[in-house]
Amino acid sequence: MRQIRNSTSGSPGVSANGRDSGYNAGIAVFSYIIGGIIVWSLIGWGLDYLWGTRWIVLAGALLGAAGGFYLSHMHGLTSNRTSTGEDSAASGPSKDEEQ
């Protein structure tokens, strides 16, 4: 008997039913930002070594952080969502039950 796995073709940090789980989304955001900082800092360090400068590594770190946040945002990992999937500010004021 063949087993078929239900895989998502979406973003990392998104569960199989389409809703993002907070912990996985947080780890994905963290890894994008830290990974971007590490990779672009190393690229900047290499360029600093080749060109004899000392500031490109800092520019690379900032570029990596911005790029990691951009990727997280484009994958939908940084947006505020309620359990219904709509933004709480767009839904208007809360409706309390009358007593």
Side-chain angles (χ1 to χ4, degrees):
M1 178 179 356
R2 285 177 58 187
Q3 292 183 355
I4 299 174
R5 262 199 252 177
N6 187 8
S7 65
T8 60
S9 61
S11 310
V14 177
S15 62
N17 61 1
R19 296 185 317 207
D20 60 331
S21 58
Y23 180 76
N24 289 337
I27 293 296
V29 169
F30 179 77
S31 63
Y32 280 144
I33 293 173
I34 297 301
I37 290 171
I38 291 171
V39 167
W40 286 102
S41 292
L42 287 174
I43 291 171
W45 177 75
L47 291 175
D48 276 340
Y49 180 75
L50 287 175
W51 294 339
T53 60
R54 299 179 69 184
W55 59 272
I56 299 175
V57 66
L58 179 61
L62 294 174
L63 180 70
F69 183 76
Y70 176 77
L71 282 176
S72 300
H73 183 71
M74 286 293 110
H75 285 178
L77 299 174
T78 58
S79 63
N80 278 339
R81 294 184 190 154
T82 60
S83 61
T84 60
E86 65 183 58
D87 189 20
S88 60
S91 64
S94 62
K95 297 176 180 114
D96 296 331
E97 290 184 31
E98 294 182 22
Q99 294 181 4

